[in-house]
Amino acid sequence: MLFRTFKLGGGQASLQTKFLLAFAVLLLIVMGSFAIYVNRIVVHPLRETTENEMRLAAAKIGDQLNLYVDSQNQLSQRILSSKEIFNLMPTGDSSRLSVEGLALNRKLREIMFQSIGPSMNIEDVAIYDLRGGLLTTFIGTSGNPSSLLPFLEKSGSDINWNENGYSLYRPTANRVFFIRAILNQNGKVFGYMAIQLQQEMLRRSVAAGSSGSEVYVMDYDGRTVYESNPSEAAVPDFRIPASGVNGVYISDTGDYVAYYRSEETGWTAYTVTPKKVVLGPVNSVATISMLLIASLFLFSAAYMYFSARSFLLPIRKLRNQMRRINYSNIDTRVETPSSNNELLQLSESFQGLLDRLQVSIEREKLAVHEEAIARNSALQAQIAPHFIHNTLYLISIAAQEGKNEVVSEMCKNLSDSLRYIVSSPYEHVSLTQELEHAKDYLALLRHNYEDDLEWMIDEDSAFDEIRLPRLVIQPFVENCIEHAFGNADAPWRIEIRVKVYNGLWALEVRDNGEGFSPETIAHTLDLIRSTESSGEDSPRETGIGGMGIVNTAHRLQLMYKNRLFFNMYNHSDNGGGAAIQIIASLTEDFY
């Protein structure tokens, strides 16, 4: 049987397969390492470079817008440099159609023409009174608001307006106005100026760094100043950055958003680029790298497969020779080509293994024989001769009295007990079988003690999975009968309780007898501990602390080793009595 554990083949993976699997794992590790290298050395820096380019593009758009807005600021300053404009601005209601109104409009146009000149990068310039009413325009193009009242009502919360005296106003998608207050050096406001910006100039400023991305320009309060593709759809919900910062983040839709906030105007330029456009070069590098690694992997696997076949052919021959070796020809010498030094060493090592195995088998046979003698002696010691004599005597009395059913039941119980004791003494049994044997044993005793003896034994299908040595429970039950009930009043009760939970099983045998004396408990547990630590056989006695308890505990320790806990104590339930407790683990050691 031991030899079978060293048998090669038999459903196991071949050496060639294991070799190839090991090589595949190695290649996967190399492939993963290369992928990490490509990601850290190539892909990650490339992604950072792309994001930096997006930041620079957003910053360039912001700078171009700053230049364009600054030019409008200079234009408005040139118009306001004429002191006559303050004298012309009305202080109250005025009509554009009156003679005074027409004269005022003409003079205001002359001031604007002198300041602007023929070269323009704007659509128009309009001047409004203190209430936001339109007074005059430079060219008279369409789209100038007839009133600035909606803007003036919201300008109080505009930081740029309060600090610099100008702001942007976007009443419609295609109209953006640079609005400035007409005030003198003392800060007195006479009216308002609205410069209508050219959409083409805004588009050129944005196109300087957009690179095909969608561009949005938002003011400090999140209002849209400009969008590259005006539509009815809602403007994306951008993150409003802190003052004077720029960066890149990924939106909820997966797009890359680069932003730049100008410290001069407080506006933020956003460029929205689809993820596939941003990561296109990055993904291409990663894909090419992975394809290269995969090709290398397939080529190496094919090469190693064919190389392994030729390399492992002598090993296969050696394995076939090993398979032909069995117990009858274990001394057969394995023939191996001497040209292969490694295989020769393998053959010599295996031959040495066979020699050692032969010695181990002989030792095992001797040990099994000695164990059989020891176990037969232990099992025979469990059968009390007076119990068999009394049982046969009770059977004969029942037969004389004509109690055929009682005779049949007692004979059956005695037969089952004897068959269980002597059959297959070397094999472990299930806990269910041990409990059934305990029932048969108690059923025989019942005819002697009649109604004075009661018992309760747990039953469960889970007990079938628990293995233990034969004749473990009966010695504890016999101990109750012989020693616990000597001076105790009937009825005498024996309980065998079993619990299974979380990979543990616990067995407890208790009675309602006199209980153990403290000296008996200490002496018995000391014997069990000394037997466990020394590894010697338990004393061959039949009383308490001998074969009845110590030897049973020793046989359990041989099977469960450090997965067993044994205890004996006196309980106080229902009048008190003695209890034997065994707890064992099915999986892990206790210590």
Side-chain angles (χ1 to χ4, degrees), residues 79-317:
I79 296 175
L80 296 181
S81 64
S82 175
K83 297 182 179 180
E84 187 179 359
I85 192 172
F86 301 107
N87 299 325
L88 295 175
M89 294 299 296
T91 57
D93 296 334
S94 61
S95 175
R96 296 178 57 190
L97 301 178
S98 63
V99 176
E100 292 80 2
L102 293 175
L104 175 64
N105 293 343
R106 180 177 57 80
K107 292 180 180 179
L108 289 175
R109 286 195 187 97
E110 290 178 356
I111 293 175
M112 287 187 286
F113 180 78
Q114 292 174 0
S115 301
I116 298 174
S119 177
M120 295 176 54
N121 57 2
I122 59 175
E123 294 288 345
D124 201 355
V125 179
I127 295 180
Y128 297 83
D129 58 20
L130 283 173
R131 293 184 175 85
L134 180 62
L135 294 177
T136 184
T137 62
F138 179 57
I139 300 176
T141 59
S142 60
N144 291 312
S146 59
S147 174
L148 290 182
L149 186 59
F151 167 78
L152 296 176
E153 290 176 349
K154 298 180 180 179
S155 61
S157 60
D158 192 331
I159 298 176
N160 198 46
W161 174 264
N162 295 328
E163 292 181 354
N164 301 322
Y166 65 83
S167 181
L168 285 186
Y169 177 47
R170 186 173 183 258
T172 61
N174 297 319
R175 294 287 187 272
V176 181
F177 294 88
F178 176 90
I179 300 178
R180 185 180 191 87
I182 301 176
L183 48 80
N184 58 14
Q185 295 179 350
N186 297 325
K188 180 179 179 180
V189 179
F190 292 88
Y192 304 96
M193 180 188 309
I195 302 175
Q196 185 177 166
L197 306 182
Q198 278 188 349
Q199 291 294 314
E200 178 62 21
M201 295 301 299
L202 289 174
R203 188 191 64 78
R204 291 180 182 178
S205 299
V206 168
S210 62
S211 301
S213 304
E214 293 187 10
V215 180
Y216 298 86
V217 180
M218 317 294 287
D219 63 9
Y220 70 97
D221 202 23
R223 294 188 296 265
T224 304
V225 175
Y226 174 83
E227 55 182 310
S228 57
N229 297 311
S231 63
E232 298 296 332
V235 176
D237 186 14
F238 296 111
R239 301 177 188 174
I240 300 178
S243 177
V245 298
N246 69 323
V248 177
Y249 68 90
I250 300 176
S251 66
D252 296 337
T253 59
D255 297 329
Y256 274 72
V257 179
Y259 59 88
Y260 172 80
R261 185 165 191 171
S262 172
E263 295 182 353
E264 298 179 8
T265 61
W267 304 331
T268 305
Y270 295 91
T271 61
V272 181
T273 309
K275 184 177 182 178
K276 62 181 180 180
V277 175
V278 176
L279 299 182
V282 178
N283 293 334
S284 298
V285 172
T287 302
I288 293 174
S289 301
M290 296 306 295
L291 289 176
L292 180 61
I293 296 175
S295 302
L296 177 62
F297 172 79
L298 293 176
F299 174 78
S300 301
Y303 174 79
M304 293 305 300
Y305 173 77
F306 291 106
S307 299
R309 289 187 61 182
S310 59
F311 174 75
L312 298 176
L313 183 60
I315 299 180
R316 289 177 179 174
K317 293 181 179 180

Side-chain angles (χ1 to χ4, degrees), residues 269-464:
Y270 295 91
T271 61
V272 181
T273 309
K275 184 177 182 178
K276 62 181 180 180
V277 175
V278 176
L279 299 182
V282 178
N283 293 334
S284 298
V285 172
T287 302
I288 293 174
S289 301
M290 296 306 295
L291 289 176
L292 180 61
I293 296 175
S295 302
L296 177 62
F297 172 79
L298 293 176
F299 174 78
S300 301
Y303 174 79
M304 293 305 300
Y305 173 77
F306 291 106
S307 299
R309 289 187 61 182
S310 59
F311 174 75
L312 298 176
L313 183 60
I315 299 180
R316 289 177 179 174
K317 293 181 179 180
L318 177 61
R319 183 187 63 182
N320 292 333
Q321 292 177 340
M322 292 177 181
R323 281 181 171 179
R324 291 193 294 269
I325 297 176
N326 52 37
Y327 185 78
S328 61
N329 63 348
I330 197 171
D331 295 330
T332 302
R333 296 294 169 180
V334 179
E335 298 179 0
T336 307
S338 59
S339 59
N340 193 323
N341 187 48
E342 287 77 10
L343 293 180
L344 181 60
Q345 294 177 358
L346 177 61
S347 175
E348 293 175 352
S349 299
F350 183 75
Q351 193 64 54
L353 173 64
L354 293 180
D355 296 338
R356 293 191 298 273
L357 185 59
Q358 181 68 36
V359 175
S360 299
I361 290 176
E362 295 300 328
R363 291 178 179 177
E364 181 70 15
K365 290 169 59 179
L366 180 60
V368 169
H369 179 68
E370 294 177 351
E371 182 182 4
I373 296 176
R375 289 199 175 189
N376 283 330
S377 300
L379 291 173
Q380 291 173 4
Q382 300 294 327
I383 305 175
H386 68 274
F387 163 70
I388 299 177
H389 177 269
N390 291 338
T391 303
L392 293 175
Y393 179 72
L394 292 174
I395 291 174
S396 65
I397 293 176
Q400 292 175 3
E401 295 177 354
K403 299 179 180 179
N404 295 332
E405 293 182 359
V406 174
V407 171
S408 176
E409 182 180 358
M410 294 180 68
C411 289
K412 179 180 181 300
N413 290 336
L414 180 60
S415 175
D416 292 340
S417 297
L418 293 176
R419 183 184 299 109
Y420 180 79
I421 291 173
V422 301
S423 63
S424 301
Y426 314 119
E427 296 181 0
H428 292 152
V429 296
S430 68
L431 180 56
T432 301
Q433 291 174 293
E434 273 292 283
L435 295 175
E436 288 295 329
H437 175 65
K439 289 181 182 179
D440 293 337
Y441 179 72
L442 289 170
L444 287 171
L445 296 178
R446 181 181 57 188
H447 298 287
N448 187 20
Y449 296 96
E450 296 182 349
D451 295 336
D452 291 339
L453 180 61
E454 300 176 354
W455 68 83
M456 187 278 295
I457 300 178
D458 287 342
E459 296 182 3
D460 196 303
S461 59
F463 302 163
D464 295 338

Side-chain angles (χ1 to χ4, degrees), residues 544-558:
I544 293 179
M547 184 66 74
I549 294 179
V550 178
N551 191 40
T552 303
H554 177 58
R555 289 190 292 126
L556 284 168
Q557 289 168 349
L558 290 176

